[in-house]
Amino acid sequence: MEQAKIEASQQDYSTLGYSEELLPKGPQQRDWGIFNYITVWMAAVHNIMSYMTVAGFFILGLSVQQVFLAIMLSAVIVSAGYSLNGYSASKYGIPFAILLRDSFGVKGSIIPALCRGLIAGVVFFGTTTVVGAQSLNVVFSRFYPNYMSLGGDFSIFGLDVPTMISYLILWVITVLLFLGGMDMLTVFGKYSSPIVYIFIIGAAIWAINIAGGIGPILDYTPSAKMESPFVFVACVSALVSNWAGPIVNIADFSHRAKSPNSMMLGFSIGMIGSYLLFAITCISLIAGTEIAFGQPIFNIVDAIDKIQNPISVIVLILALNVGATAFVVFGNLLPAGLQMTALFPKIFTVKSAGILTAIIGTLILPWKLVSSTTTLYFFYSFIGSMFGPIAGIMLSSFYIERKKRIELSMLYVEEGSNGAYKNGYNVIACIVLAISFILPMSGAFFKSVPFLVKLNELAFFSGLVISFILYTLLYRLNKPSSQMD
């Protein structure tokens, strides 16, 4: 019944000026099955930023067993987030930009859409691309030993000439892949995963071998000691925050699902299976190289650079960049393009908005954000404080307030119409979003308040729980517009 209603109303909604990307998908347009959802993130999981994040766990004092548990717990949480927040879109076939209107109002949706599409897209694009550029420096140095000497001491805002060249090359490749469109991205996501996995498994075998076997790696003890159990939870929160953006806008992928079950099963198998291999490889590389070379390594590229065979180094780093590129394109440029197009259809197309995201992502000087574990985890606390509340409100709105039902006619409205809420804003959702962001994020600045510091350490979880509880308690105060009377 719902499918027939969606298909019949597509033509009506298109006459209101909505682009093809924003219209609800009919049965014939829902072409993603279990295999698509298994493979969509398989390569992206193995990105350099994620490896750096886990390297930080060892620096904070987690043991090998604790790091493994933190990674797998993160995988379960992320896959659950995908399934729960992706269900509504898989049921109704609507993308994230439109789905937001149900929780925040036609006009109120601009706030979370900008947070996910522009702010997060910009920051993640910049940081992931600059980390990828630093890895390409290693590749180019193998071909041209004096590569890192190019330009001497010259730099622009702290970025040296070799990294600048590598950044521009990776920037162009990433943007060109994005401009290829959804069909190219689908093919890329499907066939890049086997390439990445072949070389990732090879790297794990190499690391285990140089460490003297799996035994020394399992017995590895970091130099620091974990200060409290909260550190473990904070590490889980940081890794989940790395995937918090896709959790929020997972509708951009789940709205193409052949069925809700195919989406939920595919994401669960894909994320948990991918993270299992990621955990083994990451722990092996980080612990194995420290055991073999006697020094802790924060940047995974430095660990890979220890491999003597230059071909292996080059291919492995390129494989990791395939994963990073998949993460940037699927998880950041595409959402940014979709959100900005939905907000400003007369100004942007999906492609032009994605290019703008890539440009601004460079102007924010992202190399300064990944210079240390301190700045990296501050970045994650900011992202978690922003995305946790958005996800919490969306879940409460759909499952508790709406009882898993959505009225599409209140989302696809004429220009100037306010939809289901007076003035177009779900005021309660906007207030809850502000409170749930400010509380966790304030802990990064008010270090003398232990409670706020703990909220900040668990930013994504804090924001999610606070917003879910507050919205569940307060949504009854919503005042519907006259259209609902």
Side-chain angles (χ1 to χ4, degrees):
M1 180 66 180
E2 291 286 357
Q3 295 292 341
K5 185 178 179 181
I6 290 170
E7 196 167 13
S9 59
Q10 272 188 315
Q11 185 62 38
D12 294 335
Y13 299 147
S14 64
T15 61
L16 297 177
Y18 291 93
S19 64
E20 182 67 28
E21 294 93 346
L22 299 177
L23 292 174
K25 295 289 187 290
Q28 73 282 359
Q29 298 168 301
R30 301 191 186 189
D31 52 358
W32 277 37
I34 294 176
F35 183 72
N36 296 96
Y37 288 106
I38 289 176
T39 59
V40 67
W41 298 121
M42 282 180 69
V45 164
H46 296 276
N47 67 79
I48 300 170
M49 282 283 286
S50 291
Y51 277 86
M52 289 174 64
T53 303
V54 175
F57 295 176
F58 285 108
I59 294 174
L60 292 172
L62 271 66
S63 67
V64 167
Q65 292 74 20
Q66 289 168 334
V67 170
F68 181 83
L69 180 59
I71 293 172
M72 296 314 300
L73 186 57
S74 299
V76 172
I77 293 171
V78 170
S79 60
Y82 286 166
S83 297
L84 289 171
N85 211 31
Y87 177 81
S88 55
S90 67
K91 180 179 179 180
Y92 290 94
I94 54 178
F96 172 66
I98 299 298
L99 184 62
L100 274 178
R101 295 181 171 190
D102 189 58
S103 303
F104 292 88
V106 172
K107 296 178 180 177
S109 65
I110 293 175
I111 301 168
L114 283 174
C115 291
R116 175 60 190 107
L118 190 58
I119 298 174
V122 160
V123 177
F124 267 115
F125 174 88
T127 53
T128 305
T129 305
V130 77
V131 169
Q134 291 168 349
S135 73
L136 288 184
N137 287 345
V138 175
V139 173
F140 295 149
S141 294
R142 293 289 174 129
F143 288 105
Y144 180 59
N146 295 323
Y147 181 74
M148 292 306 297
S149 300
L150 292 176
D153 295 330
F154 178 79
S155 66
I156 297 180
F157 298 112
L159 187 66
D160 57 82
V161 172
T163 307
M164 195 183 308
I165 295 171
S166 299
Y167 184 91
L168 289 173
I169 291 172
L170 190 56
W171 191 98
V172 171
I173 291 172
T174 304
V175 170
L176 287 177
L177 180 63
F178 167 71
L179 294 177
M182 197 63 193
D183 290 338
M184 181 180 288
L185 295 181
T186 301
V187 173
F188 179 76
K190 183 182 295 185
Y191 294 106
S192 63
S193 299
I195 298 172
V196 173
Y197 274 54
I198 289 171
F199 295 104
I200 286 296
I201 292 172
I205 294 172
W206 168 81
I208 293 170
N209 183 58
I210 64 168
I214 193 69
I217 290 178
L218 293 176
D219 294 335
Y220 167 79
T221 303
S223 56
K225 294 290 184 182
M226 186 172 66
E227 295 179 356
S228 75
F230 280 105
V231 174
F232 174 84
V233 182
C235 289
V236 174
S237 180
L239 195 53
V240 171
S241 294
N242 195 32
W243 291 94
I247 289 176
V248 168
N249 76 288
I250 198 64
D252 285 334
F253 300 94
S254 63
H255 77 305
R256 296 185 62 174
K258 293 179 180 179
S259 70
N261 286 338
S262 64
M263 177 271 301
M264 291 187 286
L265 186 60
F267 274 139
S268 298
I269 295 173
M271 285 303 296
I272 294 174
S274 299
Y275 258 58
L276 178 60
L277 179 59
F278 170 78
I280 294 170
T281 307
C282 196
I283 290 171
S284 298
L285 278 170
I286 295 168
T289 51
E290 181 170 351
I291 291 169
F293 302 107
Q295 60 184 51
I297 296 175
F298 171 59
N299 191 330
I300 198 66
V301 174
D302 294 333
I304 295 171
D305 196 29
K306 299 291 186 181
I307 300 175
Q308 296 300 314
N309 188 318
I311 301 300
S312 298
V313 172
I314 292 167
V315 173
L316 182 56
I317 289 178
L318 291 178
L320 283 176
N321 272 290
V322 168
T325 301
F327 176 71
V328 169
V329 173
F330 278 106
N332 297 285
L333 290 185
L334 181 60
L338 290 170
Q339 268 54 268
M340 297 306 291
T341 303
L343 295 175
F344 309 107
K346 295 180 179 179
I347 301 175
F348 293 110
T349 64
V350 172
K351 293 181 178 180
S352 65
I355 293 174
L356 177 64
T357 300
I359 292 172
I360 300 177
T362 302
L363 296 178
I364 64 169
L365 313 182
W367 43 92
K368 295 185 179 295
L369 290 175
V370 294
S371 58
S372 68
T373 53
T374 302
T375 55
L376 182 63
Y377 280 85
F378 176 83
F379 162 59
Y380 280 137
S381 70
F382 172 75
I383 292 295
S385 298
M386 185 167 56
F387 286 159
I390 296 174
I393 292 168
M394 292 178 71
L395 291 171
S396 176
S397 174
F398 179 69
Y399 287 99
I400 296 178
E401 182 182 21
R402 307 295 188 206
K403 305 294 189 294
K404 297 194 290 188
R405 295 191 63 84
I406 293 176
E407 182 57 57
L408 295 184
S409 63
M410 290 292 101
L411 308 183
Y412 290 94
V413 297
E414 296 181 11
E415 186 175 359
S417 175
N418 292 327
Y421 297 97
K422 291 181 178 180
N423 301 319
Y425 293 89
N426 180 348
V427 176
I428 299 300
C430 294
I431 292 174
V432 169
L433 178 62
I435 294 172
S436 305
F437 170 77
I438 291 171
L439 279 175
M441 199 58 212
S442 62
F445 304 98
F446 297 101
K447 298 292 187 180
S448 61
V449 185
F451 175 70
L452 294 179
V453 171
K454 294 302 180 186
L455 287 182
N456 182 254
E457 290 175 352
L458 314 177
F460 179 81
F461 298 137
S462 300
L464 177 71
V465 172
I466 292 171
S467 64
F468 185 89
I469 292 174
L470 283 179
Y471 191 79
T472 299
L473 293 174
L474 299 176
Y475 76 81
R476 293 176 181 84
L477 299 177
N478 283 327
K479 297 179 181 180
S481 69
S482 58
Q483 297 182 47
M484 299 290 289
D485 294 337

